[in-house]
Amino acid sequence: EDQVTQSPEALRLQEGESSSLNCSYTVSGLRGLFWYRQDPGKGPEFLFTLYSAGEEKEKERLKATLTKKESFLHITAPKPEDSATYLCAVRQGAQKLVFGQGTRLTINP
Amino acid sequence: DTAVSQTPKYLVTQMGNDKSIKCEQNLGHDTMYWYKQDSKKFLKIMFSYNNKELIINETVPNRFSPKSPDKAHLNLHINSLELGDSAVYFCASSEKGTGSGNTIYFGEGSWLTVV
């Protein structure tokens, strides 16, 4: 069965302190790995989709990378507004996403 | 304009009641979903509809019944509510499933509390 595990569960950083979030997955034939951001009281907001090992995508201070077993979300010089829960998901079948439990990121000013 | 909108945002109800959550998307998408997020923040798919046709029914109790009057709307009706149904329910949509280039867009969520 496809599985997605994210680590750490929670991460607290100082403003400007770069770090990475991990998403490990087991899936039979990856057909897309998705990153979402979720703010408290809101729905998940799409960030990136990665399809093949070696692929990278960037958006402002965020960069997502993909290997055959895991994906990383690198956060460079984060700001307090980057505080959120970051969710990783893999596509299973034609229409289903299997999500990890998320990493709750807090950036202190 | 809100792309995926769902109502109500908050719902507090007693055990045994029947309630509905409505969802509408104005993105012109063919596929709509209901996901449930539990207290541990895991998001799990419940149902998906493609152009009003049920595609995925993910071992959800029969008390949950989705209804899609047209491809822009997907409502969720819950009968005989139980304490364990308390969760956040998210409606979502995508062009056609989650195929290449298709992104799932989520609504703001409906917080259901059963007391």
Side-chain angles (χ1 to χ4, degrees):
Chain A
E1 185 177 321
D2 297 351
Q3 250 188 328
V4 179
T5 304
Q6 293 186 246
S7 62
E9 282 193 22
L11 180 62
R12 191 178 291 270
L13 301 172
Q14 289 299 122
E15 185 172 358
E17 182 185 359
S18 301
S19 187
S20 297
L21 312 183
N22 178 265
C23 171
S24 298
Y25 63 90
T26 53
V27 63
S28 52
L30 182 67
R31 282 175 283 186
L33 184 140
F34 299 77
W35 281 100
Y36 284 83
R37 168 190 171 130
Q38 187 174 22
D39 292 301
K42 301 284 188 182
E45 176 189 344
F46 172 74
L47 293 173
F48 306 108
T49 310
L50 302 166
Y51 290 100
S52 54
E55 190 175 356
E56 297 183 352
K57 288 193 177 171
E58 286 189 66
K59 181 180 179 179
E60 296 180 357
R61 295 175 291 281
L62 300 176
K63 182 167 83 172
T65 61
L66 182 65
T67 72
K68 288 185 178 179
K69 294 183 179 180
E70 56 194 350
S71 177
F72 292 93
L73 186 64
H74 307 278
I75 302 175
T76 303
K79 299 181 178 182
E81 53 262 41
D82 295 322
S83 297
T85 295
Y86 290 85
L87 300 169
C88 171
V90 295
R91 181 186 160 206
Q92 184 182 72
Q95 295 198 348
K96 182 178 167 183
L97 289 182
V98 176
F99 280 86
Q101 79 277 28
T103 293
R104 191 172 65 254
L105 177 66
T106 304
I107 309 298
N108 294 320
Chain B
D1 272 351
T2 304
V4 181
S5 58
Q6 46 185 119
T7 55
K9 187 170 176 72
Y10 300 103
L11 184 56
V12 180
T13 188
Q14 291 189 326
M15 274 194 307
N17 283 351
D18 302 338
K19 290 294 177 185
S20 293
I21 305 172
K22 294 185 177 182
C23 178
E24 176 182 3
Q25 54 95 3
N26 63 5
L27 297 166
H29 289 166
D30 289 319
T31 305
M32 296 186 71
Y33 311 81
W34 278 109
Y35 276 79
K36 178 181 179 180
Q37 190 169 42
D38 60 25
S39 56
K40 294 187 177 181
K41 302 298 184 184
F42 267 107
L43 261 171
K44 292 184 180 178
I45 192 168
M46 300 174 68
F47 303 102
S48 79
Y49 269 74
N50 190 35
N51 203 10
K52 302 193 296 176
E53 181 186 352
L54 179 65
I55 302 297
I56 294 176
N57 182 341
E58 196 73 4
T59 59
V60 176
N62 291 337
R63 299 181 295 104
F64 290 78
S65 54
K67 282 187 174 54
S68 181
D70 54 62
K71 74 173 192 177
H73 296 83
L74 180 61
N75 304 323
L76 183 65
H77 188 75
I78 315 170
N79 290 325
S80 304
L81 278 155
E82 301 177 355
L83 292 176
D85 297 331
S86 297
V88 186
Y89 294 86
F90 287 98
C91 180
S93 73
S94 66
E95 281 191 31
K96 277 182 187 176
T98 52
S100 175
N102 292 337
T103 298
I104 291 187
Y105 296 91
F106 286 84
E108 296 279 275
S110 294
W111 269 251
L112 173 64
T113 303
V114 183
V115 297

